[in-house]
Amino acid sequence: MSDSASLGVRHQSGLEPLTALTRPAAQQPEWPDRDRAGSVRSALATSPPLVRWEEVRELGTLLARVAEGELCVLQAGDCAEDPAECGAADVALKTEMLDVLGDIMRVGAGRPVVRVGRLAGQFAKPRSRAHETVDGVRLPVFRGPMVNGPEPTPEARRPNPARLLDCRASAERSLRALEALGRGAGCHPRERVWTSHEALLLDYEGPQVRPTGEGGHYLSSAHWPWIGERTRQPGNAHVRLLARLGNPVACKVGPEATAEEVLELCTLLDPRRIPGRLTLIARFGAGAIGRLAPLVRAVRGAGHPVLWMCDPMHGNTVADGTGLKIRHLDAVMNELRGFLSVVADAGGRCAGLHIESSPLDISECAGAGVTPIRGPRYRTLCDPRLNLMQAVAVVAHWQPITRPGVQPSAT
Ligand code: PEP
Ligand code: CO
């Protein structure tokens, strides 16, 4: 783990420690070159903000309207972004995908859609294991292009802190490309493609926490950071980091989560119960989605105005007969249908959908005529993504149910 005590936050008066980051943190790389990691953190702390506080506040206003039931959210993109795919043409395609999917979602939802990319920062991955064995060689796992390389060699897998700066530069390129498309900073909030990623690497996120100018702090690396199923321990650094941000924040929740844990997260991440402030992203798996019901009821019972989103991808990852990681479209759609009915029955607010998808011609998930096989059309850096046709089918299933007599908690 990195030396979290030395992480800095830029204040008007220079660098000061961010005490939240001195807590234990899961999923952090061991940088072999600690001095270099320190100078990278300093460089990040003095770099300009990628997103401005005013933009983040605008997204917060939109998400408050999601809580009112006026809008819904589509969040989509790569599992791990490729820094080589952050140019103008790449970002134009990703934006077109969000637009097509958002338009379809609007039809089913009957309300306008806030479009959010897993982009301009989605470069680091939590992993279930620290090592893997490839052709008899034990290697550190690939932790995303912000940490190491995907190639199965000891050299590529060596964590390199210079990647933090390279990925920040790629994020900046994506943001400039969005601006050039008229979908970035300065455009109308309803036209905007908002940026989101998992706030995983504290060495990247900590130095990009900035003052809002209104007495608080915000994360300037993305409009909407989330934390994952593997870093949501209430006492740890990731939760405490999100707790002190002015950004709207999200947290993934899986089938192992207890109502007690979820209520603790609500108390820590949204103590003032601000509608739109906290989104919980359910990722249960089609077979376990029923276990979401007691969590939605507990949150509603406690009066938290949480937005519930459905990630029907991460609980449905399986290996095919050859060991290739795939997802079945049927399972993805079953989880989505289950989510809509469970959340409606429990009186929660179905806020939107979170998927891994790509506009490229890929065959990584099974279904809709696709059988994934290793080769040029299976090119994800991490988890299998829906191709456009599959994503259209999934998004078309977003048809929230209104049960007579059950009022969503946030209205
Ligand atoms: C992800 O969103 O890519 C991810 C790793 O999700 P989770 O933390 O839910 O497994
Ligand atoms: Co993923």
Side-chain angles (χ1 to χ4, degrees), residues 78-80 118 122 125-126 198 226 230 252 311 313-314 317 325 327 354 356 382-384:
D78 299 311
C79 179
R118 285 177 63 115
Q122 179 51 28
K125 299 310 302 171
E198 177 169 354
W226 82 80
R230 280 158 276 212
K252 298 276 198 96
D311 166 0
M313 312 295 293
H314 287 88
T317 315
K325 240 203 287 189
R327 289 161 171 156
H354 177 120
E356 289 182 343
C382 193
D383 291 337

Side-chain angles (χ1 to χ4, degrees), residues 353-374:
L353 188 53
H354 177 120
I355 57 173
E356 289 182 343
S357 62
S358 166
L360 304 177
D361 180 22
I362 52 166
S363 303
E364 299 172 358
C365 291
V370 174
T371 305
I373 47 164
R374 281 185 180 76

Side-chain angles (χ1 to χ4, degrees), residues 257-268:
T258 64
E260 211 174 34
E261 275 169 8
V262 170
L263 291 180
E264 194 177 355
L265 285 168
C266 291
T267 304
L268 286 167

